Amino acid sequence: MRVDLRLNAIVDPGRAGGCELAELARRCAEGGATLVQLRDKQSETRAMVEQARAIKKALAPFGVPFVVNDRVDVALAAGADGVHIGPDDMAVEDARRLLGPGALIGLSVKNLSEAEAAPIALIDYVGSGGVYATLSKAQKNPPIGPEGLARIVDVLHRRAQKRGKELPVCGIAGIDAGNAAPVIAAGADGVAVISALSLASDPAAAARALRQVVDAMLAKRGT
Amino acid sequence: MRVDLRLNAIVDPGRAGGCELAELARRCAEGGATLVQLRDKQSETRAMVEQARAIKKALAPFGVPFVVNDRVDVALAAGADGVHIGPDDMAVEDARRLLGPGALIGLSVKNLSEAEAAPIALIDYVGSGGVYATLSKAQKNPPIGPEGLARIVDVLHRRAQKRGKELPVCGIAGIDAGNAAPVIAAGADGVAVISALSLASDPAAAARALRQVVDAMLAKRGT
């Protein structure tokens, strides 16, 4: 599935500033988020399924696709569009087998060797980083910066092109409207954002500001 | 699916006494376990899937069915026979929809109102308790004892019979060879055991001892 990765909003109950997640997702979509991911490392399965259903319902009017981090069971139960797979999650091969060819599968890619090894044929997009320092997640490795991201994006885009496939890549970690431009200049197709939306007093306005930067840089790049 | 519930061995990485889970499962099956459940509330998804695959492989020579606690995704990825569903897990209706009619679905039932509400048509077996005090799990409610279990089993068996269905029920919590007899005398079709197998120096021998008590009591009851 071709996914618009310009603004990938990640909603996380541990980083939502007390905001109800479905309402947060709705506001992000209202402001221009093009993909929403639920990342929940703490809730019980039943609560996660209910949460995912509420987010799916909130996003329906916007036609914005919705993926669940890690949990194929939750994605299937709630009828989400797919999953985002990290290094400790189910293997992409298994997720694709369980979700079918029509599902959206995103993969985290942290370095060049992961970019070389990524199962291009089985995935629809990549989230790559950490680009900048972030407090949203414990970072095992130092930020790769826009320079590191550029090298990873290059490998992924070249590998995808060889297969005649488009593989959008978004940068992730510590990105906001103030530092998003170098991420797109590095070749990324968009940005993944948690705090800059979740903790904004007006998430829709924050999404709009991010989209302006991303869209302007993409236009400049001529894509 | 008709399941033999005489000895439901639950293997849990947090309660395995350092034993490798697939080997523990193999020993339990060798000693007479009739159903094995993987209960893992701590591992990442990828590790859980690998663990489940190893257990499935270890059990294959014995023909002992294998279910995964809570995680429909892990059960599907590893090709387990089904899942065991607790109160915080996915709704039984969702699990049945995702796993299909041939999968084994067990449900935890803690009291009479849950027994009255259980979706009999969608489940294959019930685990009911806590019968005795246990250290394997934080117990929110006082143990129901064999008397409390008898009332729950009675409700479940009667409701199942009305539908012309067999619904085996096992008692759970704090059960070992020394106190299993009253559980079967209470009407249960078997016992679910963690520590009495996992922490035994010889899990196969412990399983054999439990099966002797359970089988003798079932014979006495004439089932």
Side-chain angles (χ1 to χ4, degrees), chain B residues 7 177 196-197 200 202-211:
Chain B
L7 181 54
L197 294 173
D202 183 344
R208 253 177 243 117
L210 270 157
R211 272 292 301 277

Side-chain angles (χ1 to χ4, degrees), chain B residues 96-207:
Chain B
R96 177 58 74 193
R97 186 166 50 82
L98 300 184
L99 290 167
L104 204 55
I105 297 186
L107 180 69
S108 295
V109 166
K110 275 195 294 294
N111 53 46
L112 282 175
S113 63
E114 287 183 11
E116 292 288 1
I120 301 285
L122 298 174
I123 57 177
D124 301 289
Y125 76 92
V126 164
S128 186
V131 177
Y132 302 121
T134 176
L135 295 172
S136 293
K137 203 176 170 183
Q139 285 181 306
K140 289 177 201 156
N141 306 301
I144 59 174
E147 309 73 29
L149 178 65
R151 287 190 287 272
I152 290 170
V153 170
D154 185 54
V155 168
L156 290 166
H157 279 174
R158 270 195 296 114
R159 289 191 58 212
Q161 209 172 12
K162 270 189 195 165
R163 282 154 210 262
K165 179 175 176 158
E166 274 186 279
L167 184 68
V169 181
C170 62
I172 185 165
I175 299 173
D176 57 32
N179 62 19
V183 175
I184 306 301
D189 304 283
V191 295
V193 170
I194 305 179
S195 304
L197 294 173
S198 298
L199 303 182
S201 59
D202 183 344

Side-chain angles (χ1 to χ4, degrees), chain A residues 41 44-47 49 53 70-74 76-78 85-92 94 97-98, chain B residues 41 44-47 49 53 70-74 76-78 85-92 94 97-98:
Chain A
K41 296 288 187 189
E44 299 279 4
T45 302
R46 183 162 303 205
V49 170
R53 284 197 175 114
D70 176 16
R71 298 291 297 266
V72 168
D73 53 345
V74 175
L76 285 169
I85 298 284
D88 296 327
D89 304 340
M90 187 179 289
V92 167
D94 289 324
R97 187 166 49 84
L98 299 184
Chain B
K41 296 289 188 189
E44 299 280 4
T45 302
R46 184 160 302 203
V49 170
R53 284 197 175 116
D70 176 15
R71 297 291 296 267
V72 169
D73 52 346
V74 175
L76 285 169
I85 299 284
D88 296 326
D89 304 338
M90 188 179 286
V92 168
D94 289 323
R97 186 166 50 82
L98 300 184

Side-chain angles (χ1 to χ4, degrees), chain A:
Chain A
M1 199 200 289
R2 169 77 176 113
V3 59
D4 181 347
L5 207 58
R6 284 179 291 172
L7 181 52
N8 178 5
I10 301 175
V11 297
D12 181 330
R15 298 286 298 171
C19 185
E20 204 274 310
L21 287 197
E23 173 59 12
L24 175 60
R26 192 192 67 72
R27 289 187 197 175
C28 290
E30 196 190 337
T34 56
L35 174 67
V36 170
Q37 178 195 139
L38 167 63
R39 185 173 85 181
D40 185 347
K41 296 288 187 189
Q42 61 190 38
S43 302
E44 299 279 4
T45 302
R46 183 162 303 205
M48 242 186 260
V49 170
E50 282 164 19
Q51 185 68 85
R53 284 197 175 114
I55 293 172
K56 190 196 167 187
K57 199 175 161 191
L59 293 176
F62 301 93
V64 168
F66 167 50
V67 296
V68 179
N69 187 292
D70 176 16
R71 298 291 297 266
V72 168
D73 53 345
V74 175
L76 285 169
D81 297 290
V83 294
H84 185 89
I85 298 284
D88 296 327
D89 304 340
M90 187 179 289
V92 167
E93 291 73 10
D94 289 324
R96 177 58 74 195
R97 187 166 49 84
L98 299 184
L99 290 166
L104 203 55
I105 298 187
L107 180 69
S108 295
V109 167
K110 276 196 292 294
N111 52 46
L112 282 175
S113 62
E114 286 183 11
E116 293 288 1
I120 301 284
L122 297 175
I123 57 176
D124 301 289
Y125 75 93
V126 164
S128 187
V131 178
Y132 302 121
T134 175
L135 295 171
S136 293
K137 203 177 172 184
Q139 284 181 305
K140 288 175 202 157
N141 306 302
I144 58 174
E147 307 73 29
L149 179 66
R151 287 189 286 273
I152 290 169
V153 169
D154 186 53
V155 168
L156 289 167
H157 280 174
R158 271 195 296 116
R159 289 190 60 211
Q161 210 172 9
K162 271 191 196 165
R163 284 154 208 262
K165 178 174 175 161
E166 275 187 278
L167 184 67
V169 181
C170 62
I172 184 164
I175 300 172
D176 57 33
N179 62 18
V183 176
I184 306 302
D189 305 282
V191 294
V193 171
I194 305 180
S195 305
L197 294 172
S198 297
L199 304 181
S201 59
D202 184 343
R208 252 176 245 119
L210 269 157
R211 271 292 302 276
Q212 269 182 355
V213 177
V214 170
D215 290 9
M217 285 302 295
L218 287 172
K220 209 167 164 181
R221 241 171 55 190
T223 49

Side-chain angles (χ1 to χ4, degrees), chain B residues 39-72:
Chain B
R39 186 173 83 181
D40 185 347
K41 296 289 188 189
Q42 62 192 37
S43 302
E44 299 280 4
T45 302
R46 184 160 302 203
M48 243 187 258
V49 170
E50 281 164 20
Q51 185 68 85
R53 284 197 175 116
I55 293 173
K56 190 195 168 190
K57 198 175 159 190
L59 293 176
F62 301 95
V64 168
F66 167 49
V67 296
V68 179
N69 189 292
D70 176 15
R71 297 291 296 267
V72 169

